[in-house]
Amino acid sequence: MPQRYLIDPAQAQDLYLPLMAELVSVKALTPQETLYEIALPGGRDLGHRPGQFVKVSLFGVGEAPFSVSSSPTKRGSFELGIRTVGMLTEVMQRMGPGEKVGIRGPFGNGFDTGALRGKDLLIIAGGIGLVPLRSLINFVIDNRDDFGRLIICYGNRSDAELLFAEERAAWERDPSIEYHVTVDRGSSQWRGRTGVITTLLPGLKLDVDRTAACICGPPVMFRYVLLALRAKGMPEKGIFLSLERRMKCGVGKCGHCQINNTFVCTEGPVYNGLELKSLQEAL
């Protein structure tokens, strides 16, 4: 096994030991998705990068990984946007402010915000993929002068499933943000665009050499988004894709998220286009 996967035994105990954190607020985003605000003991910051994830545990129920949805610029607490699927999320949805959850992490590499500074950012979010990308979007908004254009392309199956309504309304009003949204099937009240997310891309005018595309969504979306970006001449090194895999231990030990010779939980979940070429099983 390569040396980079080995963990110092002195650190291993802490990696597996959750901190008992407190739910600050619980807010329904849709009938299926809920936004949880969580505070660590003493109000300490999580210290995460956009795109990283934490493990949430409920004693007697289990543990599961969830992407952090708030920006590192949010102090004293952090947010997780969670879809209710399975026992742990069903129990969590019934919990309220003041109740305790176990937190391990943050884990994974996340987006390198230092390397992205000065670039135009093209955010491509499909479905619940907006949850981790919201962390990056709000980081850029809070450090607006450090970045070029902020272009957000968001697609979902229906208008009833679109997340973060208040923030999307703010993006539409903000002249420094280019926001585009589409749904696969619109209701009778929907007045926006209808079609899959790749229909948003051909009309964008990009300086591809100074643009970084940050992508997260369902795996079925990846192949078509990558084809659309390559058709626009986007260099592979400018494409950053967050892979969705079932992370388990979070520290590269169990192999649950392994693709070829990489562990997504430690060397991902964010990979650039050049790295993805050697990970054919990833897409």
Side-chain angles (χ1 to χ4, degrees):
M1 180 178 289
Q3 181 67 35
R4 65 182 184 277
Y5 297 146
L6 298 179
I7 296 171
D8 185 337
Q11 298 176 340
Q13 184 175 359
D14 290 341
L15 289 172
Y16 289 108
L17 186 65
L19 286 174
M20 293 312 299
E22 182 174 308
L23 291 180
V24 176
S25 66
V26 179
K27 178 183 178 183
L29 296 173
T30 71
Q32 273 195 305
E33 284 89 17
T34 304
L35 185 68
Y36 299 89
E37 182 181 4
I38 299 172
L40 294 174
R44 57 178 278 192
D45 293 328
L46 181 63
H48 66 290
R49 275 184 176 182
Q52 287 190 298
F53 68 96
V54 295
K55 299 283 289 188
V56 177
S57 58
L58 300 179
F59 290 112
V61 181
E63 184 182 55
F66 299 105
S67 297
V68 181
S69 189
S70 53
S71 166
T73 52
K74 177 179 173 57
R75 300 297 187 186
S77 64
F78 63 96
E79 293 169 324
L80 305 176
I82 296 177
R83 174 170 291 171
T84 302
V85 283
M87 183 181 297
L88 186 138
T89 55
E90 289 174 1
V91 173
M92 202 168 168
Q93 194 181 37
R94 295 195 293 271
M95 297 174 69
E99 296 196 73
K100 301 289 187 180
V101 296
I103 297 292
R104 289 198 297 125
F107 296 124
N109 58 355
F111 293 98
D112 185 348
T113 53
L116 295 177
R117 287 182 190 272
K119 292 184 176 296
D120 295 343
L121 293 190
L122 170 60
I123 306 291
I124 302 176
I128 201 169
L130 183 61
V131 167
L133 289 174
R134 172 180 178 256
S135 176
L136 178 60
I137 291 168
N138 285 333
F139 180 85
V140 173
I141 291 173
D142 289 341
N143 297 276
R144 196 66 192 90
D145 292 342
D146 293 341
F147 298 89
R149 295 167 64 193
L150 176 57
I151 309 161
I152 302 171
C153 294
Y154 176 37
N156 212 322
R157 291 179 297 187
S158 71
D159 45 314
E161 296 171 87
L162 293 171
L163 303 172
F164 305 112
E166 293 179 5
E167 285 167 68
R168 287 187 293 104
W171 300 342
E172 287 183 337
R173 294 192 301 269
D174 189 333
S176 75
I177 299 175
E178 301 165 54
Y179 173 59
H180 309 275
V181 60
T182 185
V183 297
D184 296 352
R185 301 177 303 278
S187 70
S188 59
Q189 289 78 40
W190 178 246
R191 297 292 179 268
R193 187 164 183 155
T194 301
V196 296
I197 193 166
T198 48
T199 62
L200 298 175
L201 303 181
L204 296 178
K205 294 183 179 179
L206 305 174
D207 181 344
V208 295
D209 291 324
R210 64 162 288 157
T211 300
C214 301
I215 308 160
C216 189
V220 69
M221 179 190 93
F222 292 156
R223 187 179 302 273
Y224 299 101
V225 166
L226 291 175
L227 285 172
L229 291 177
R230 288 164 182 160
K232 296 185 79 67
M234 179 77 72
E236 303 286 354
K237 65 181 181 181
I239 297 173
F240 301 90
L241 195 151
S242 181
L243 295 179
E244 289 196 357
R245 285 294 185 276
R246 181 68 174 174
M247 267 77 89
K248 193 168 180 64
C249 70
V251 294
K253 296 288 284 185
C254 70
H256 211 259
C257 63
Q258 186 172 2
I259 304 174
N260 297 347
N261 62 348
T262 182
F263 290 124
V264 178
C265 69
T266 55
E267 297 176 79
V270 178
Y271 295 87
N272 68 36
L274 293 173
E275 294 168 326
L276 287 171
K277 282 191 167 181
S278 63
L279 296 175
Q280 292 301 315
E281 295 177 20
L283 303 178

